[in-house]
Amino acid sequence: MPDLHRREPRNVGVVLLHEQSGYARFLGQDPLSGELNPSLAAHVVQQPMSYQAWVKYFLYHANRGSWSRVQETLARRPLDSFYIEEGGVYELDYDGPREALEQLFRSLVDVRTAELSQFQGAGEHMRKDVKVLVDQVFVKAEIDREIIREPDFLIRVRGSRRTAETKVNFNYKYVNGSIALMERVPLSARNRDGNLRKINDLLYRIEHVLESYEVQRFIALYRVSGVDPILAQEAVDRELTLLETYADVLDVSDIPTAASNLRVQLGKSRH
């Protein structure tokens, strides 16, 4: 409620309770990494630091399945700027709770101003995002201390006039009886030419390394940047099909699922 005197509420988030767990999405929160940038909610929220503290509190209890604690806390603070209102129980046709949450968020929360800010300078921002997500996947998969970063390989390049040697490198190397090389591949639903350049560069390096080294597996750690995650995913299907000719592809936007799948691909069993 931006102005307590006028008592005109604005929706800033949605919490969806599903079985024993909960899902939440708030204004200024990246839908993929979950990171919160309160400045993206400045057009609604007058106290960004207070907003950030409340959102962290909401997310903590939503993820833990202890949402009743939030209800008890706010019931004792009736004049606070932040409050919750129950929306009821819905039985709708969704593929899963995360899709339902995203659609409810977009129908109930004004995200237009936030989106304009969020996707400015998307190129560098996207690259940083993928690196952060990959690091979180490694930690979740419990392999972060075993990762070798930026390994390089000496390859031979055959030209029309001579053969030369040069070095190529990958983002990560993992050894578990066999060698696996991994590369971050940030993709954009809005830049198909840029996607193909990245993928062709990676396939070139993979092909040359396979000629000289005993590398058993290549893994492309990707994230698709786009306003709508579902449409964005569909937009890069052709690029992913090309990438799959040499590498396993792993979407790092869902950290728990990516971590679990990565352990399987690397031959690591869960404790």
Side-chain angles (χ1 to χ4, degrees):
M1 190 172 297
D3 189 330
L4 286 173
H5 177 69
R6 297 178 64 176
R7 310 293 292 180
E8 295 174 349
R10 297 285 300 274
N11 291 340
V12 295
V14 176
V15 175
L16 176 65
L17 303 181
H18 177 71
E19 297 177 349
Q20 302 300 316
S21 60
Y23 303 85
R25 175 93 149 79
F26 288 90
L27 197 61
Q29 185 182 16
D30 188 301
L32 299 178
S33 69
E35 294 183 4
L36 178 69
N37 184 350
S39 65
L40 297 180
H43 63 295
V44 175
V45 179
Q46 295 181 355
Q47 301 172 318
M49 298 309 295
S50 178
Y51 174 69
Q52 185 175 34
W54 273 112
V55 169
K56 287 183 177 181
Y57 177 73
F58 292 151
L59 291 173
Y60 174 79
H61 285 292
N63 295 334
R64 284 175 55 91
S66 54
W67 188 247
S68 59
R69 293 286 300 276
V70 176
Q71 294 171 306
E72 294 169 2
T73 299
L74 291 180
R76 297 192 297 267
R77 305 175 59 141
L79 297 179
D80 202 285
S81 299
F82 300 96
Y83 75 101
I84 59 175
E85 181 176 324
E86 290 194 33
V89 178
Y90 295 87
E91 293 186 7
L92 300 174
D93 186 18
Y94 290 110
D95 290 338
R98 292 191 181 278
E99 181 196 353
L101 177 74
E102 192 65 25
Q103 292 194 26
L104 287 169
F105 178 80
R106 291 188 172 275
S107 66
L108 296 172
V109 180
D110 180 10
V111 298
R112 289 171 296 176
T113 304
E115 283 178 348
L116 289 174
S117 301
Q118 186 173 356
F119 289 98
Q120 288 179 346
E124 183 63 26
H125 174 69
M126 183 171 59
R127 285 191 289 273
K128 292 179 180 178
D129 267 1
V130 175
K131 186 176 186 303
V132 170
L133 289 172
V134 169
D135 286 341
Q136 291 174 349
V137 168
F138 287 161
V139 171
K140 185 71 174 177
E142 301 173 3
I143 62 169
D144 54 304
R145 296 184 179 181
E146 305 166 51
I147 294 293
I148 300 170
R149 299 175 187 273
E150 302 298 333
D152 54 41
F153 297 85
L154 189 66
I155 64 170
R156 287 192 171 190
V157 181
R158 298 180 183 88
S160 59
R161 291 182 294 176
R162 66 172 71 91
T163 297
E165 290 187 339
T166 186
K167 285 185 178 180
V168 297
N169 71 334
F170 293 81
N171 293 142
Y172 312 102
K173 176 181 176 181
Y174 181 84
V175 181
N176 183 31
S178 60
I179 297 174
L181 297 179
M182 293 175 275
E183 186 81 359
R184 299 187 302 270
V185 186
L187 300 175
S188 170
R190 302 174 176 180
N191 188 358
R192 306 294 296 275
D193 291 340
N195 293 342
L196 290 175
R197 283 194 296 271
K198 294 171 190 173
I199 292 172
N200 287 334
D201 171 72
L202 176 58
L203 297 184
Y204 170 86
R205 285 180 282 138
I206 291 176
E207 186 173 21
H208 280 79
V209 166
L210 281 174
E211 291 179 354
S212 305
Y213 296 89
E214 294 294 325
V215 178
Q216 282 72 33
R217 185 180 294 271
F218 295 89
I219 302 174
L221 305 163
Y222 78 94
R223 172 205 166 178
V224 182
S225 173
V227 174
D228 186 319
I230 297 174
L231 295 179
Q233 187 71 29
E234 293 175 356
V236 297
D237 277 347
R238 188 172 62 181
E239 288 95 316
L240 292 178
T241 300
L242 176 62
L243 194 53
E244 286 173 335
T245 57
Y246 278 107
D248 295 321
V249 296
L250 192 63
D251 183 358
V252 296
S253 60
D254 183 343
I255 293 172
T257 301
S260 177
N261 291 339
L262 182 60
R263 287 184 65 88
V264 173
Q265 292 175 345
L266 295 177
K268 296 276 288 185
S269 59
R270 246 324 148 190
H271 297 304

